[in-house]
Amino acid sequence: MISVPLPGAAELLTAQKPLPSFIFQWFCPWGSTERDSTKPGKNGKNLLSSPAYHGIDFFCCHLNDVPVPLSVLQDPFIAFHLDKALVRKYMNPLLIGELAPDQPSFEPSKNKKLVEDFRELRATVEKMGLLQPNHAFFILCLCHILVLDVAAWLIIWYFGASLVPFLFSAVLLGTVQAQAGWLQHDFGHLSVFSKSRWNHWVHKFVIGHLKGAPASWWNHLHFQHHAKPNCFRKDPDVNMHPLFFALGKTLSVELGVQKKKFMPYNHQHKYFFIIGPPALVPLYFQWYIFYFAVQRKQWVDLAWMLSFYIRFFLTYLPFLGVKGTLGLHLLVRFIESNWFVWVTQMNHIPMHIDYDKNVDWFSTQLQATCNVHQSLFNDWFSGHLNFQIEHHLFPTMPRHNYWKVAPLVKSLCAKHGIEYQCKPLLTAFADIVHSLKDSGELWLDAYLHK
């Protein structure tokens, strides 16, 4: 093994020709959700601070100088980053040498032909200009959120604080929160501006001032989800297994064989309606985000969050009083929570959930995601996350272009015999419940008989 550094090799991340094999030294396992990747590592060196690196999981490759072929890193790094110079900046210091000719440069767990075909697809997408945003689209998204926000206040101001205006305002404000959630998602994924910094700035405003949540918290969790979707212990979105739910066929059977029972999982499709959609935001996220911001010392994010609460209470306190304003806020969070959980889980919970099998980027995303039929309502209601497959394959792609790349993705799936799931909206909702029922029954059978 040659240990002489090769400066500039990270530039090959964007190359279309076959890549040589280099060895990179990593400092800590990204699979851990307990570490803040912006803090120094054990050796005193700073870890990668770009949000995209929060989610790239090289858990098996970080320790003991295990060789990491550059080809392994190409797809996730290109998927998550706009600025390839930033990639080069962080990759070059980590480069420690080149693999010897007799060492394998491609992992056997990955489909080499599929990887090559996906990279051709990526090149086609770039040539078609599908990664270029339409700024007017995002301006309209922001304007319709602001109009709904003002309309909610005008209803209380004009009609008073009786029950009907109160409820109508709550529905409008819940819609504001849901739609602002989809918009902050765009900025968080660097989908709106050509400069990462501009996306980060507006992201803090949208998620902080319009929603009252910290951008650092979203970055910390969401990019881990994108790097290893539905991979237990690597995707924080499935951390509810096994404390609250038994997820996935394999994991549910494993839990039953181990005779573990934290909840009556055979009834989880019923109590999901109690501790799932209604409770996630008002009873968990609402309070945990403050703990996260303070514990991580994210003072700028905390200031943006507080600006939301100050604006909200100054706006409604004169009309509703303290109890009425608190009640309105909790009702809005309740509406937002139901909206958020049903939309975000319809694409993932019914899909394959298991331990990480270290398959290629395309297969990783397709086995964990599904789509919902396109319509004007579905696009608006889900923030275009009805195109979840395309979003996961191209996380920086502006959402108004998902429908354009979808036929190309379908064609690639058909070529390699990979199922491309797309279903009606209500069917997608029902599949969440059905999958929970199925995995609960698998757990019960294993618990009683295996």
Side-chain angles (χ1 to χ4, degrees), residues 167-186:
L167 293 177
F168 201 78
S169 291
V171 170
L172 288 182
L173 289 173
T175 304
V176 166
Q177 289 303 302
Q179 293 299 319
W182 311 145
L183 185 60
Q184 69 82 23
H185 182 264
D186 297 319

Side-chain angles (χ1 to χ4, degrees), residues 51-101:
Y53 289 91
H54 293 176
I56 297 178
D57 184 354
F58 300 111
F59 186 89
C60 298
C61 305
H62 286 188
L63 306 177
N64 303 320
D65 295 341
V66 175
V68 183
L70 182 59
S71 59
V72 175
L73 313 181
Q74 183 178 9
D75 294 324
F77 269 95
I78 290 179
F80 287 132
H81 290 87
L82 295 179
D83 187 358
K84 302 306 183 290
L86 181 64
V87 180
R88 187 180 308 118
K89 172 183 176 182
Y90 286 114
M91 291 291 288
N92 281 337
L94 302 177
L95 182 62
I96 62 173
E98 185 176 358
L99 287 175

Side-chain angles (χ1 to χ4, degrees), residues 155-198:
I155 288 173
I156 296 292
W157 172 76
Y158 186 80
F159 293 102
S162 59
L163 181 61
V164 174
F166 180 89
L167 293 177
F168 201 78
S169 291
V171 170
L172 288 182
L173 289 173
T175 304
V176 166
Q177 289 303 302
Q179 293 299 319
W182 311 145
L183 185 60
Q184 69 82 23
H185 182 264
D186 297 319
F187 289 104
H189 273 294
L190 315 179
S191 299
V192 183
F193 297 114
S194 59
K195 299 291 185 181
S196 298
R197 183 175 298 177
W198 299 352

Side-chain angles (χ1 to χ4, degrees), residues 7-201:
E11 298 175 9
L12 295 170
L13 282 167
T14 58
Q16 298 302 315
K17 57 187 179 181
L19 295 168
S21 299
F22 299 104
I23 302 172
F24 291 87
Q25 172 66 55
W26 300 95
F27 300 129
C28 83
W30 290 97
S32 170
T33 59
E34 299 302 318
R35 289 188 62 87
D36 184 352
S37 54
T38 61
K39 294 181 179 179
K42 292 181 179 179
N43 57 3
K45 296 183 180 180
N46 286 334
L47 305 179
L48 306 179
S49 59
S50 169
Y53 289 91
H54 293 176
I56 297 178
D57 184 354
F58 300 111
F59 186 89
C60 298
C61 305
H62 286 188
L63 306 177
N64 303 320
D65 295 341
V66 175
V68 183
L70 182 59
S71 59
V72 175
L73 313 181
Q74 183 178 9
D75 294 324
F77 269 95
I78 290 179
F80 287 132
H81 290 87
L82 295 179
D83 187 358
K84 302 306 183 290
L86 181 64
V87 180
R88 187 180 308 118
K89 172 183 176 182
Y90 286 114
M91 291 291 288
N92 281 337
L94 302 177
L95 182 62
I96 62 173
E98 185 176 358
L99 287 175
D102 61 334
Q103 291 182 297
S105 61
F106 203 91
E107 295 176 285
S109 61
K110 295 178 170 60
N111 185 334
K112 187 174 184 179
K113 179 59 177 173
L114 177 57
V115 171
E116 293 171 350
D117 287 347
F118 173 70
R119 289 175 184 171
E120 289 183 9
L121 173 60
R122 172 82 191 194
T124 300
V125 164
E126 293 176 357
K127 290 177 183 178
M128 292 174 64
L130 298 183
L131 298 179
Q132 301 305 313
N134 181 344
H135 293 125
F137 171 85
F138 293 105
I139 290 173
L140 288 175
C141 287
L142 178 60
C143 287
H144 106 284
I145 290 169
L146 297 178
V147 167
L148 291 175
D149 205 355
V150 173
W153 179 83
L154 287 175
I155 288 173
I156 296 292
W157 172 76
Y158 186 80
F159 293 102
S162 59
L163 181 61
V164 174
F166 180 89
L167 293 177
F168 201 78
S169 291
V171 170
L172 288 182
L173 289 173
T175 304
V176 166
Q177 289 303 302
Q179 293 299 319
W182 311 145
L183 185 60
Q184 69 82 23
H185 182 264
D186 297 319
F187 289 104
H189 273 294
L190 315 179
S191 299
V192 183
F193 297 114
S194 59
K195 299 291 185 181
S196 298
R197 183 175 298 177
W198 299 352
N199 285 288
H200 294 320
W201 285 344

Side-chain angles (χ1 to χ4, degrees), residues 404-437:
K404 298 178 182 179
V405 75
L408 302 179
V409 175
K410 288 181 184 178
S411 178
L412 184 57
C413 288
K415 178 180 178 180
H416 290 273
I418 297 175
E419 185 179 10
Y420 181 100
Q421 288 196 33
C422 189
K423 60 188 76 170
L425 180 65
L426 295 181
T427 300
F429 289 163
D431 283 350
I432 299 176
V433 181
H434 294 156
S435 64
L436 289 174
K437 185 175 186 294

Side-chain angles (χ1 to χ4, degrees), residues 208-224:
H209 184 68
L210 297 184
K211 288 190 60 62
S216 55
W217 164 74
W218 185 88
N219 286 333
H220 176 70
L221 296 177
H222 194 65
F223 283 101
Q224 293 181 69

